[in-house]
């Protein structure tokens, strides 16, 4: 059975521990639609009650709204008991050409705008602003946010700045978060990154991360946080429908058909497509956490239940045999040598 509790796993090489399930705070920054403040607070509260202790946010999410709401919701919690990650690379600056509503997917006023900046000064300013918005005394994990078009500055200025702060004990762990896997592999191999946040590239519909970042993490003894495991929605329901999103756009009919094939196999094994989509991430030993966006209490309840559901190991065997997932995917029955690598490098799960 593939099954993950909310027990903690360490980001390898650091002292930072993440629960197996994380709270993605983009939705409480009004991603795609308005999230009432009381719903945002209730989502964090329900997550806490369910044992979730890893919370991820970013300045980009709602032009700071996500950070403010998350900080407020955690303010009275014991600081040593939870982990917060945020991101750098987009400074929030006054918007002189405001049109009233943000144009990057968040339902908020655009009094501020995002300004790309992976310089040392930009990183330090961004971190200071995040601490002010959240009211936190520190960040446990900091990621470079979508540095796709900024490799040189991100690798040569931003990451060394974060490494310096990590080495001083100001930050617990550092890395990068992206929707592609190739550059994340470069961050693991060529910079001081401890962890990467991989969005949508190791899912039931896309295992391209097996070509680069996941082997790199395995080889180097570094960690991966998986997000986007539903591929923007196509894998989030028991039966995929036309018009559902895949990687932020309408899903092509061929992908909808393939998702339905996978769903039928899941059903035959007594589970559901979204439960399998979450469990699938844990079939690779470098992935220590799945973080899901949760907008309200109901989302939390559903996602926690899906996360705790046991998925039969034979499902992966069946999907491989049908050519629906790549042959390299093995699940819990991975080569013992692979597991030994991680045992030696200090991976541990505390129940």
């Amino acid at each position: 059975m593939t099954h993950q509790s909310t027990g903690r796993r360490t980001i390898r090489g650091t002292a930072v521990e993440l629960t197996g399930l994380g709270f993605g705070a983009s939705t409480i920054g009004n991603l795609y639609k308005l999230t009432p403040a009381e719903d945002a607070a209730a989502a964090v509260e329900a997550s806490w009650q369910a044992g979730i202790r890893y919370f991820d946010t970013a300045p980009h999410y709602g032009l700071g709204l996500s950070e403010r709401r998350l900080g407020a919701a955690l303010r009275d919690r014991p600081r040593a008991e939870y982990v917060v990650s945020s991101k750098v690379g987009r400074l929030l600056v006054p918007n002189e050409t405001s049109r009233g509503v943000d144009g990057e997917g968040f339902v908020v006023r655009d009094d501020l705008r995002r300004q790309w900046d992976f310089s040392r000064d930009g990183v330090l300013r961004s971190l200071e602003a995040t601490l002010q918005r959240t009211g936190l005394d520190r960040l446990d994990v900091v990621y470079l946010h979508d540095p796709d078009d900024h490799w040189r500055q991100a690798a040569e200025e931003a990451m060394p700045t974060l490494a310096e702060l990590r080495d001083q004990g100001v930050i617990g762990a550092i890395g990068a978060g992206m929707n592609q896997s190739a550059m994340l592999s470069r961050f693991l191999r060529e910079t001081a990154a401890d962890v990467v946040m991989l969005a949508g590239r190791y899912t039931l519909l896309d295992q391209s991360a097996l070509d680069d970042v996941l082997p790199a993490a395995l080889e180097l003894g570094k960690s991966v946080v998986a997000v986007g495991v539903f591929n923007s929605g196509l894998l989030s329901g028991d039966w995929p429908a036309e018009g559902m999103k895949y990687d932020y756009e309408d899903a092509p009919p061929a992908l909808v058909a393939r998702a339905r094939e996978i769903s039928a196999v899941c059903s035959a094994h007594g589970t559901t497509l979204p439960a399998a989509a979450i469990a699938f991430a844990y079939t690779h030993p470098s992935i220590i956490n799945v973080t899901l966006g949760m907008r309200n209490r109901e989302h939390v309840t559903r996602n926690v239940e899906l996360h705790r559901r046991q998925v039969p190991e034979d499902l992966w065997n069946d999907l491989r045999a049908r050519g629906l997932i790549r042959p390299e995917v093995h699940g819990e029955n991975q080569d013992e040598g692979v597991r030994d690598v991680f045992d030696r490098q200090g991976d541990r799960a505390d129940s």
Side-chain angles (χ1 to χ4, degrees):
M1 292 282 185
T2 302
H3 170 75
Q4 292 290 324
S5 72
T6 49
R8 299 182 183 231
R9 286 193 170 189
T10 305
I11 295 176
R12 298 175 189 102
T14 79
V16 179
E17 292 183 326
L18 307 184
T19 44
L21 183 62
F23 180 96
S26 60
T27 44
I28 66 170
N30 289 356
L31 179 63
Y32 302 137
K33 64 181 182 180
L34 207 64
T35 301
E38 55 269 27
D39 283 3
V44 177
E45 167 68 21
S47 297
W48 188 275
Q49 294 303 323
I52 293 170
R53 295 294 184 271
Y54 173 47
F55 302 86
D56 176 69
T57 183
H60 170 55
Y61 302 155
L63 293 169
L65 178 63
S66 171
E67 290 185 324
R68 291 194 300 273
R69 283 179 164 177
L70 181 63
L74 293 173
R75 195 149 294 151
D76 296 327
R77 308 289 182 187
R79 184 63 185 92
E81 291 187 16
Y82 61 87
V83 168
V84 172
S85 60
S86 193
K87 306 180 182 76
V88 296
R90 290 175 171 93
L91 280 175
L92 302 183
V93 299
N95 186 5
E96 304 84 357
T97 58
S98 170
R99 296 184 179 181
V101 180
D102 178 47
E104 295 200 28
F106 294 89
V107 184
V108 293
R109 286 190 56 82
D110 65 343
D111 299 328
L112 300 172
R113 63 178 176 84
R114 302 160 183 87
Q115 177 176 288
W116 289 106
D117 193 333
F118 289 94
S119 69
R120 176 182 175 82
D121 179 64
V123 167
L124 296 175
R125 287 169 57 197
S126 183
L127 291 173
E128 182 180 1
T130 288
L131 293 177
Q132 288 177 349
R133 283 189 292 266
T134 58
L136 296 172
D137 62 337
R138 70 181 188 280
L139 293 171
D140 303 285
V141 185
V142 178
Y143 299 105
L144 307 185
H145 202 181
D146 298 333
D148 304 66
D149 299 325
H150 308 272
W151 163 260
R152 184 166 182 174
Q153 190 178 53
E156 296 180 4
E157 292 190 52
M159 194 62 82
T161 302
L162 293 182
E164 184 181 319
L165 294 171
R166 179 196 60 195
D167 295 346
Q168 293 170 355
V170 177
I171 298 169
I174 62 173
M178 304 176 72
N179 289 290
Q180 60 154 296
S181 59
M183 192 179 285
L184 287 181
S185 176
R186 290 192 68 187
F187 276 110
L188 289 183
R189 293 188 180 279
E190 301 177 36
T191 79
D194 305 302
V195 59
V196 292
M197 179 170 274
L198 175 68
R201 304 285 74 84
Y202 190 67
T203 73
L204 285 171
L205 290 172
D206 182 345
Q207 292 106 57
S208 55
L210 286 169
D211 296 328
D212 37 50
V213 71
L214 293 180
L218 193 61
E219 174 190 336
L220 299 168
K222 296 187 176 183
S223 300
V224 179
V225 168
V227 297
V229 297
F230 297 141
N231 281 126
S232 300
L234 186 55
L235 298 173
S236 64
D238 291 357
W239 188 249
E242 298 289 344
M244 294 184 79
K245 298 294 183 185
Y246 176 82
D247 284 2
Y248 312 108
E249 298 180 354
D250 290 344
L255 268 182
V256 174
R258 188 155 156 249
R260 287 175 175 174
E261 281 190 77
I262 295 171
S263 179
V265 178
C266 290
S267 181
H269 285 269
T271 190
T272 66
L273 183 63
I278 294 171
F280 179 79
Y282 299 107
T283 62
H284 197 278
S286 67
I287 294 177
I288 64 169
N289 167 278
V290 172
T291 288
L292 303 174
M294 305 193 228
R295 193 180 296 274
N296 52 43
R297 184 180 298 277
E298 291 70 31
H299 283 184
V300 175
T301 300
R302 177 179 184 267
N303 286 335
V304 167
E305 191 277 326
L306 288 171
H307 181 262
R308 289 175 174 167
R309 193 176 296 178
Q310 292 191 333
V311 174
E313 198 66 33
D314 281 348
L315 172 62
W316 316 130
N317 299 331
D318 200 352
L319 290 173
R320 278 200 310 274
R322 294 167 184 263
L324 290 170
I325 59 175
R326 284 171 52 162
E328 303 100 304
V329 175
H330 286 292
E332 287 192 343
N333 298 323
Q334 294 179 68
D335 180 82
E336 287 303 314
V338 169
R339 292 194 173 276
D340 287 347
V341 168
F342 280 88
D343 290 341
R344 287 196 304 272
Q345 289 163 346
D347 182 34
R348 69 180 189 276
D350 303 319
S351 58

